[in-house]
Amino acid sequence: MGDESAASDVVQEVLLRAWRAAGRFDAELASLRVWLFSIARHVIVDEARRSIRRPVIPMQRDRLAQAAPAIAPAEDAMLTGWLVEEGLRRLTLEHGSALVETHLQGRPHDEVAVELGIPVGTLRSRVFYALKALRLALDERGVEQ
């Protein structure tokens, strides 16, 4: 966040939003940890957008580099990975395995269909509906696609 007070404000906002939305938490949709990370991600994005709209005070280039918040793509990727994993758990075994084998493992549809003992068209249908269900699950958790 760039400074300790901004980080403290974000933590307070996350806890406040979690408290207000506690009745909407569903352990079957996501773990408490993933739910809180999702709220935190939204608060951080909101804060970043808010900071963009604030007037910029000119600084020297070296001071600006020191003051800029560190972008942590690894942390964002890890959170997205958890959310995708939670979404995959909501799929049926048939849809989940079709999606994992074709998209995540990168295997050809023909090969996977033979292995599963189903027509290629059925496999493609399962992948289509699995992606649709996964998108819905991610949308429910606030993941922007």
Side-chain angles (χ1 to χ4, degrees):
M1 294 306 309
D3 68 352
E4 195 173 324
S5 64
S8 178
D9 290 344
V10 166
V11 170
Q12 280 185 323
E13 183 64 25
V14 168
L15 293 175
L16 182 63
R17 288 186 188 185
W19 180 261
R20 288 180 179 162
R24 289 182 281 170
F25 171 70
D26 185 358
E28 291 181 13
L29 292 177
S31 67
L32 179 62
R33 181 179 185 167
V34 170
W35 185 66
L36 287 173
F37 277 130
S38 179
I39 293 171
R41 183 178 187 191
H42 286 284
V43 170
I44 291 169
V45 167
D46 290 347
E47 183 59 31
R49 288 178 181 154
R50 203 174 295 121
S51 67
I52 289 171
R53 286 181 269 165
R54 292 181 189 142
V56 177
I57 301 169
M59 296 179 75
Q60 294 175 343
R61 190 176 293 270
D62 59 339
R63 288 187 62 212
L64 182 61
Q66 292 173 349
I71 299 171
E75 293 165 0
D76 191 44
M78 183 173 59
L79 177 59
T80 302
W82 284 336
L83 293 170
V84 169
E85 184 180 342
E86 289 289 328
L88 285 171
R89 286 189 184 133
R90 293 183 58 197
L91 300 177
T92 64
L93 181 60
E94 293 84 12
H95 288 101
S97 62
L99 187 61
V100 168
E101 292 298 321
T102 57
H103 280 276
L104 299 180
Q105 297 293 329
R107 295 179 58 203
H109 285 78
D110 298 341
E111 181 182 306
V112 175
V114 169
E115 185 177 296
L116 295 175
I118 59 174
V120 175
T122 302
L123 177 68
R124 290 185 187 279
S125 177
R126 287 181 183 177
V127 169
F128 173 81
Y129 287 109
L131 284 171
K132 190 173 180 178
L134 184 59
R135 281 187 194 108
L136 178 64
L138 295 175
D139 283 343
E140 288 174 355
R141 288 172 178 78
V143 176
E144 295 176 10
Q145 300 170 23

